[in-house]
Amino acid sequence: MSLFNKKISSLLVFIILFVSIPLSSQAAGATPEITNIVTYVAANASNVTVRVKLNFKATEVIAAIGNKKVNLTDRYYYWEGTLDIQDLPHMLTKLSVTASNHERLFYASKDTVFLIDTAPYIGIRSPFPYKFLSKSVLANVYTIDDLTPASMKIYLRSYYFGEPDILASSPDGTIKREVSLGGAIKNQELVFESTDGKKVTKTYFPVYIDPSHRLVREHSVPGRVLDFDETRILFVNKNKVYVKYIKTGVTKPITVDAVIKDGKLTPKGCLLEDQNGVVYDHVNGNNDPLSNIPFSSIVTKGNFALFYQPVWSNRLYTLRNLLTQQNQTFKLSTNVIDFGTVGDVVYKNGNYNVPDNVYKVQDGMTTVFGSPERKIMPFDMIYDGKSIAYYTHDFKEDMNYLYLYSGSGEPELVFSQIDHFKMEAHRTFEYNNGWLAYFVGGWEIAIRNPQGEVKIMYLSPDHNYSGAEIISLSEDGQVLFVVNGKLYTASFDQPVSSAVSYHLNKPKFFGSELYGALGDAVVKVLPGSSSVYRTVYRDRGGIQGTDQLIVKYSGDIKPGPGYEQIQLSSEYGDDESVQFSKEIRGNELFIQLKNKMQDASKYKLILPGDALTDPNNRILEAYDRTWEDITGIVKPFYTPLEVSVTNSQSFPIDQANVSLTELRSQTGLIYNFSTDAKGKFSTKILKPGIYLLTVSAPGYLPQTKQIKFDGSLLKIKYDLNPEEVPNAAPYWDSKAKLAVSNIGYEQAQIAWPTAIDEKPVTSYRIKYSGQASAVTVAGDVYSLMLKNLKEGTSYSVQVEALDERGQWSAPLYTEFVTPQRGVQLNLAENGIYEKSEGIKVQLSAVGAPARVASYEAVLQWNPEELSLKLETIRSMPGFGDVIVEQIESGKVKLRATGSGLGDKVQLAELSFSAKRAGQYILSLMESSGYSEPSDITYSSSSSMSTSVRVVDADFDRSGVVDIMDVALLSSALRGFSTTLEMFDMNVDGLITIEDMDYVVEHMNEQEAGQ
């Protein structure tokens, strides 16, 4: 691993050298003496601190590493200084220290080396964080270490005691293959761990694991999906929020100064919740905070959102128009409230046992929706825009009732039962478009169509009602519910529970199709099957001697995509009974074994979820089903075998091949097995005899042992030696990179380090885009000027090394973009402006040099945030008056003619005013440019946006910066404010005395002006 990678934690290494150096006399008859130089070398990821002690008075002490030098500072007892070493390629580094007096009559010097052993670096090319995974993950990871080889292992983070189950391991620190997740089904952290025997590095990746066969990835994003609809995906990546437009694939960022943890899409933007629980309504670049709103309480329908705030014993409900950002509030003493997609709110106020009307509010008008009798007043309800489904309770009879009510006439009683459980809207009953789904007792769900017909769906015996909840109901009567943490679907036409997923996020119906989010993916849920699993039983031979297994389903079945992946295994490695044929007859799958099962043996049948389908080609099960059983009571003769495979450093070798061949066998059968991530394999062998046991692994020399199997436990260990790789090609140091400098409009300088090889490097070959043939330079040349480039163009460059054996190295690769002549937008050096002073920007023409005869520039901004003061537009020397064309609100075109020459010609100055403090965007649009006297035109090929930050020292909004504003900032400095961002005047992320200086300076300037 590279020593100086910035990600590596610092390490202090002390090298103390006691050196007696005789002083060379520069004065006649004098021989000054020096007792020793003591050097303390402190090193971290990017620098080395050098301390030197002397026994004589010196006026100058210099420390040097190669061509890097530093003059040390006299600390009275020692001299000290710091050297930057992050670009040095080697761990063993020469350090030179020279000390001299001011008259330069004598000096002392010493060379030494320092050594730093850093923790391994883990490089991960695949997977990415927040990945949705099913049964395996494509791992492409490597390690870099400085002194010794570093190993690598991958596992899922365990929050329990004990060692985690290792998924994959590698002694050389490289894993590049598909890695099984071992049947995991939950959101977890994938851990990559590397060690060099002394230090350990760990990298944690959150992943979303669900091997359900009913989940199909529809769309992916580079991050974690927060929400989605039919046209957009809202996601977060590295604390930044983005929207991806599904049809075009375009991704746009959302600017918000907060770390976002959750979000919901709205018709014109989104609702975002930050890590502190603050909710923002983001529309057109503005973030409107919604005070004290629990994000979990927000329900959106159509163009409206309904949420509440606890207010003493009541709730203050707010209906927000997501198009206009206008609010309407309701203060209620109960939570019996719902609303429709057009903003019509239906609620019942007052206590449960107090008669009152059910009211409807729409467009600010309150009317009576209906007046049910007192004994059937709603306790909880759902409104679908036409009618309400509501639950009530008769305390005298201890009965629950479920009604449908359209607002006129008598409510229709749908269901009643003794109070076994509390009914609750959106949990135990759901209503949508005339369809109604509700729990009946503890083991059944009823689905009622708009015509009043009811079908009962019986939950399977492994369901436990205590963990059951209805999640959603589609407009055509499909119900989504959860039992014991697992999601299921059912419908009126198909009233059987069909498993979907263990943790599908944001499930929602688009018409009749169900979608959800998992990690980086939006997934589509395949329709559920009409046939469900019933049982597996054995036939022919009873308890002993079984040679047939029968799998039974509730309805007819057909072969599915995973039909050929059905597996039958035994605890015995040479058990031939696991060979079988299969046949489907109606609703049964017959597994016919080649031989009868062994007595007193464990057998496992694995049925992939997609192995079978119903007659409509719908896969039968979301998850693979495993059936295990033990036959008989008399154990057969067998030999236990345990194999352990490691390298010469005793590190386990994952996926090593273990081959078992019986000698003197007429069939010549060979049994092949693989070691696990711990380098181990174990089985039981039924047939005694002499076997050849061969172990092999890529990169290692195979080993073979002759073993006798006689019933005794065999524990065999293999230590494999690596293969020799002769005549290796040149390679680059792990920190080597191709550097680009002096980038101009038509040229750029590239430089590269020396390639490493056991034979001399004879030449380097350089290839770059736009060049038909490669450029070759001698092996002692390490830089090249690329010429005849095009301005405003992206270039890719690679360098390869050739040795005297004719072997080429892997390429070093980089990219760069040449600048483009044209018009650019210039801001203040730090892009920060005081609100009272406005935002001053300049237009410039850039070239080499620029010869400007005329220019045209189009600027755009958000007029709700910024205003352009047209009267302040000022032409720069050499140009006539600026002609301003107002294209639309927030967009103008500027034109002028004149004469200017230089690398950067000032064209015009503009002033904007901000309505409030905040972060804003100014854009110089595509095609803005200038013309030379020769009519050559240089224009921008794309828009250029730049961010400005406006601060306001007038904290109390009094119109002036005064002593009250100083007092408010002082309070913030002492930690008495929770809105610290407004006080950060220099935008460094901290509230410090520098911000106080800024405010006091503005207060003094205002007082002086008065």
Side-chain angles (χ1 to χ4, degrees):
M1 174 181 177
S2 175
L3 165 62
F4 312 115
N5 191 300
K6 292 184 179 179
K7 296 182 178 179
I8 303 176
S9 59
S10 61
L11 174 69
L12 185 64
V13 178
F14 296 97
I15 301 178
I16 305 176
L17 301 172
F18 298 90
V19 183
S20 297
I21 303 178
L23 298 177
S24 60
S25 176
Q26 302 296 324
T31 306
E33 294 185 359
I34 179 171
T35 57
N36 57 61
I37 296 177
V38 180
T39 305
Y40 298 88
V41 181
N44 57 26
S46 61
N47 56 59
V48 170
T49 300
V50 181
R51 292 180 181 179
V52 177
K53 289 187 177 182
L54 309 169
N55 71 340
F56 65 93
K57 183 172 180 60
T59 56
E60 184 180 51
V61 179
I62 297 175
I65 299 176
N67 59 359
K68 297 184 177 183
K69 297 182 180 181
V70 62
N71 286 296
L72 306 187
T73 303
D74 189 357
R75 304 294 189 193
Y76 190 73
Y77 289 109
Y78 55 83
W79 293 71
E80 184 180 60
T82 301
L83 272 167
D84 176 20
I85 58 173
Q86 61 178 337
D87 295 327
L88 296 179
H90 302 296
M91 298 303 100
L92 199 60
T93 304
K94 178 182 176 182
L95 173 70
S96 299
V97 178
T98 302
S100 61
N101 68 356
H102 68 284
E103 297 178 351
R104 309 260 179 194
L105 296 179
F106 56 89
Y107 70 96
S109 65
K110 182 63 180 179
D111 293 341
T112 186
V113 294
F114 64 91
L115 184 66
I116 301 174
D117 184 14
T118 56
Y121 167 76
I122 298 177
I124 302 176
R125 298 188 178 98
S126 174
F128 303 104
Y130 305 112
K131 194 77 173 173
F132 163 49
L133 306 171
S134 54
K135 295 183 179 181
S136 62
V137 56
L138 177 59
N140 187 354
V141 296
Y142 62 93
T143 60
I144 301 174
D145 198 32
D146 42 18
L147 304 175
T148 57
S151 62
M152 167 71 76
K153 59 183 177 181
I154 304 175
Y155 56 90
L156 291 171
R157 186 172 186 176
S158 174
Y159 295 94
Y160 305 99
F161 294 106
E163 284 289 321
D165 291 331
I166 308 299
L167 303 177
S169 62
S170 169
D172 63 4
T174 300
I175 299 176
K176 189 177 181 180
R177 63 179 175 85
E178 199 77 25
V179 175
S180 171
L181 295 171
I185 310 178
K186 56 184 175 179
N187 300 344
Q188 293 201 39
E189 284 186 307
L190 199 62
V191 184
F192 303 86
E193 180 179 313
S194 178
T195 179
D196 58 8
K198 296 180 181 179
K199 297 176 178 61
V200 177
T201 302
K202 294 182 181 181
T203 300
Y204 298 88
F205 270 16
V207 291
Y208 294 73
I209 306 172
D210 198 325
S212 171
H213 293 278
R214 291 188 65 189
L215 302 180
V216 178
R217 182 188 292 265
E218 285 284 292
H219 307 286
S220 297
V221 294
R224 176 171 60 91
V225 176
L226 299 178
D227 195 17
F228 62 95
D229 59 22
E230 293 180 274
T231 61
R232 299 167 296 167
I233 302 174
L234 179 70
F235 68 97
V236 62
N237 183 354
K238 295 182 179 179
N239 298 328
K240 295 183 179 180
V241 187
Y242 302 85
V243 172
K244 178 179 180 179
Y245 295 86
I246 294 174
K247 185 176 181 179
T248 63
V250 173
T251 298
K252 294 184 178 181
I254 293 177
T255 303
V256 55
D257 292 333
V259 177
I260 300 302
K261 69 175 185 179
D262 206 349
K264 294 183 180 183
L265 285 169
T266 62
K268 293 180 65 177
C270 57
L271 297 171
L272 301 172
E273 181 191 23
D274 70 14
Q275 60 184 356
N276 299 316
V278 178
V279 179
Y280 304 88
D281 185 3
H282 178 88
V283 178
N284 295 329
N286 292 323
N287 297 304
D288 186 10
L290 307 180
S291 302
N292 302 319
I293 302 300
F295 189 75
S296 59
S297 75
I298 301 176
V299 179
T300 58
K301 292 182 182 180
N303 297 327
F304 295 87
L306 184 69
F307 48 86
Y308 69 86
Q309 297 169 263
V311 182
W312 295 99
S313 61
N314 300 319
R315 287 185 174 187
L316 181 63
Y317 284 89
T318 300
L319 181 72
R320 184 174 180 86
N321 188 318
L322 298 172
L323 297 178
T324 65
Q325 283 66 59
Q326 299 299 310
N327 295 335
Q328 184 178 357
T329 59
F330 312 85
K331 189 175 182 181
L332 304 179
S333 58
T334 71
N335 61 350
V336 186
I337 185 172
D338 203 0
F339 71 112
T341 57
V342 295
D344 45 336
V345 178
V346 176
Y347 67 89
K348 185 266 179 188
N349 207 359
N351 296 324
Y352 293 134
N353 58 352
V354 176
D356 196 356
N357 296 320
V358 176
Y359 296 96
K360 179 178 179 180
V361 181
Q362 187 171 8
D363 299 328
M365 299 294 293
T366 302
T367 59
V368 175
F369 179 80
S371 303
E373 296 179 8
R374 172 176 178 175
K375 68 177 183 178
I376 53 176
M377 288 301 298
F379 274 40
D380 206 351
M381 68 180 180
I382 301 173
Y383 176 56
D384 72 345
K386 300 176 183 178
S387 305
I388 61 172
Y390 71 89
Y391 139 77
T392 188
H393 180 75
D394 189 322
F395 289 95
K396 183 177 180 180
E397 301 294 334
D398 195 24
M399 291 288 290
N400 287 332
Y401 299 93
L402 187 61
Y403 287 93
L404 288 179
Y405 184 48
S406 63
S408 62
E410 291 295 320
E412 178 187 355
L413 178 62
V414 175
F415 167 71
S416 64
Q417 70 173 14
I418 297 175
D419 183 20
H420 292 301
F421 61 93
K422 177 184 177 182
M423 299 191 74
E424 187 176 350
H426 308 297
R427 291 178 63 88
T428 60
F429 70 97
E430 188 62 74
Y431 183 53
N432 186 12
N433 197 33
W435 288 88
L436 182 65
Y438 53 93
F439 276 103
V440 180
W443 297 98
E444 296 172 329
I445 290 181
I447 305 176
R448 184 184 191 271
N449 68 13
Q451 290 74 41
E453 299 173 302
V454 177
K455 287 187 179 181
I456 303 296
M457 183 191 66
Y458 177 73
L459 304 184
S460 63
D462 61 337
H463 292 170
N464 179 357
Y465 172 73
S466 62
E469 178 181 336
I470 296 176
I471 301 297
S472 182
L473 183 65
S474 72
E475 293 181 349
D476 61 353
Q478 297 184 71
V479 61
L480 176 69
F481 60 97
V482 62
V483 181
N484 296 335
K486 186 190 293 186
L487 284 168
Y488 295 82
T489 57
S491 67
F492 187 84
D493 296 331
Q494 206 162 285
V496 293
S497 60
S498 184
V500 174
S501 168
Y502 274 93
H503 44 246
L504 188 67
N505 300 321
K506 304 290 178 75
K508 57 187 72 177
F509 286 98
F510 296 147
S512 61
E513 295 184 328
L514 178 61
Y515 292 82
L518 272 175
D520 68 334
V522 173
V523 297
K524 180 180 179 180
V525 179
L526 297 178
S529 169
S530 59
S531 300
V532 295
Y533 168 85
R534 291 300 188 210
T535 187
V536 174
Y537 61 93
R538 296 179 299 204
D539 198 11
R540 296 187 188 177
I543 295 177
Q544 297 185 4
T546 300
D547 66 351
Q548 192 176 73
L549 298 175
I550 302 173
V551 188
K552 190 170 185 178
Y553 293 85
S554 65
D556 288 348
I557 55 176
K558 295 168 52 179
Y563 188 65
E564 298 303 325
Q565 279 68 55
I566 295 174
Q567 300 175 33
L568 180 64
S569 60
S570 164
E571 63 180 315
Y572 302 105
D574 58 343
D575 188 351
E576 296 184 10
S577 68
V578 296
Q579 301 177 40
F580 63 90
S581 60
K582 50 191 181 294
E583 180 185 0
I584 293 176
R585 303 173 193 168
N587 67 331
E588 293 181 324
L589 170 67
F590 288 81
I591 306 291
Q592 182 63 54
L593 282 65
K594 177 181 179 180
N595 298 320
K596 290 184 177 182
M597 291 182 173
Q598 297 291 332
D599 288 343
S601 303
K602 294 180 181 178
Y603 283 84
K604 180 188 293 185
L605 175 67
I606 298 178
L607 295 168
D610 61 347
L612 303 167
T613 70
D614 67 6
N616 295 318
N617 297 319
R618 297 176 175 180
I619 59 175
L620 259 58
E621 298 192 82
Y623 298 102
D624 298 350
R625 182 172 292 275
T626 300
W627 173 88
E628 293 182 289
D629 201 3
I630 299 178
T631 60
I633 57 175
V634 180
K635 291 185 176 181
F637 175 89
Y638 66 87
T639 299
L641 173 64
E642 297 179 7
V643 178
S644 174
V645 183
T646 65
N647 65 3
S648 55
Q649 286 78 41
S650 299
F651 190 91
I653 298 178
D654 185 9
Q655 297 291 299
N657 182 69
V658 180
S659 175
L660 191 64
T661 306
E662 183 186 6
L663 298 179
R664 311 185 190 95
S665 170
Q666 295 181 353
T667 59
L669 290 177
I670 300 176
Y671 303 96
N672 290 297
F673 314 97
S674 295
T675 57
D676 59 21
K678 296 182 180 180
K680 297 183 181 298
F681 163 75
S682 63
T683 189
K684 299 171 182 177
I685 301 300
L686 292 168
K687 191 175 181 180
I690 306 298
Y691 289 80
L692 286 180
L693 193 59
T694 301
V695 174
S696 59
Y700 294 91
L701 297 172
Q703 291 187 23
T704 300
K705 296 180 181 180
Q706 185 171 300
I707 309 295
K708 182 179 181 180
F709 287 60
D710 58 4
S712 302
L713 173 63
L714 294 175
K715 291 187 175 181
I716 305 173
K717 188 175 186 301
Y718 286 83
D719 294 323
L720 300 185
N721 295 314
E723 294 177 340
E724 295 184 2
V725 183
N727 301 329
Y731 64 96
W732 305 98
D733 181 84
S734 59
K735 285 192 65 178
K737 59 184 179 181
L738 184 56
V740 185
S741 60
N742 301 323
I743 302 175
Y745 298 103
E746 298 173 348
Q747 63 182 23
Q749 182 89 22
I750 62 170
W752 57 91
T754 305
I756 302 171
D757 194 21
E758 56 191 33
K759 297 291 184 178
V761 172
T762 58
S763 62
Y764 293 96
R765 182 171 63 187
I766 300 94
K767 300 176 182 177
Y768 59 99
S769 51
Q771 183 73 7
S773 58
V775 178
T776 302
V777 298
D780 58 352
V781 176
Y782 308 107
S783 66
L784 179 69
M785 179 66 76
L786 308 181
K787 298 181 179 180
N788 300 321
L789 306 181
K790 296 181 180 179
E791 64 176 275
T793 304
S794 176
Y795 285 91
S796 60
V797 188
Q798 70 175 37
V799 175
E800 301 166 290
L802 177 70
D803 65 14
E804 62 183 27
R805 293 187 298 265
Q807 298 182 112
W808 289 99
S809 72
L812 275 182
Y813 178 85
T814 192
E815 296 178 345
F816 67 93
V817 179
T818 55
Q820 184 175 26
R821 298 177 177 90
V823 176
Q824 69 179 19
L825 194 63
N826 304 311
L827 302 177
E829 184 177 353
N830 55 10
I832 304 171
Y833 298 85
E834 166 62 39
K835 179 176 177 293
S836 62
E837 298 176 354
I839 302 169
K840 289 183 172 57
V841 299
Q842 286 187 340
L843 285 175
S844 301
V846 291
R851 298 175 177 85
V852 185
S854 64
Y855 69 87
E856 183 176 283
V858 178
L859 276 73
Q860 186 169 336
W861 64 92
N862 187 341
E864 296 180 3
E865 300 171 342
L866 303 175
S867 297
L868 173 62
K869 301 177 182 179
L870 296 177
E871 68 277 7
T872 65
I873 299 177
R874 184 168 63 92
S875 185
M876 302 305 283
F879 292 88
D881 292 339
V882 180
I883 300 173
V884 181
E885 177 185 342
Q886 185 87 33
I887 300 175
E888 60 185 53
S889 179
K891 190 173 184 180
V892 298
K893 180 186 289 185
L894 308 180
R895 299 195 303 270
T897 59
S899 177
L901 174 65
D903 290 341
K904 191 172 186 180
V905 179
Q906 302 297 327
L907 304 175
E909 186 176 80
L910 305 88
S911 294
F912 291 83
S913 62
K915 298 181 180 180
R916 64 186 69 87
Q919 192 91 8
Y920 304 115
I921 299 295
L922 286 173
S923 297
L924 185 66
M925 305 307 292
E926 182 180 349
S927 77
S928 297
Y930 69 88
S931 297
E932 292 187 343
S934 59
D935 291 333
I936 297 176
T937 300
Y938 299 103
S939 59
S940 301
S941 58
S942 61
S943 300
M944 179 183 70
S945 296
T946 186
S947 176
V948 298
R949 180 65 181 266
V950 177
V951 297
D952 188 1
D954 181 15
F955 306 126
D956 60 358
R957 303 296 185 264
S958 63
V960 294
V961 180
D962 53 21
I963 195 64
M964 287 302 298
D965 300 304
V966 175
L968 289 171
L969 178 53
S970 177
S971 176
L973 276 169
R974 297 195 301 271
F976 297 135
S977 174
T978 57
T979 56
L980 297 180
E981 183 180 352
M982 65 181 291
F983 299 107
D984 186 8
M985 296 292 100
N986 59 359
V987 197
D988 62 355
L990 302 172
I991 309 301
T992 65
I993 196 65
E994 292 182 3
D995 301 303
M996 179 65 76
D997 292 341
Y998 181 94
V999 175
V1000 172
E1001 179 181 348
H1002 276 69
M1003 182 181 68
N1004 293 336
E1005 288 177 356
Q1006 286 193 4
E1007 291 177 352
Q1010 295 173 354

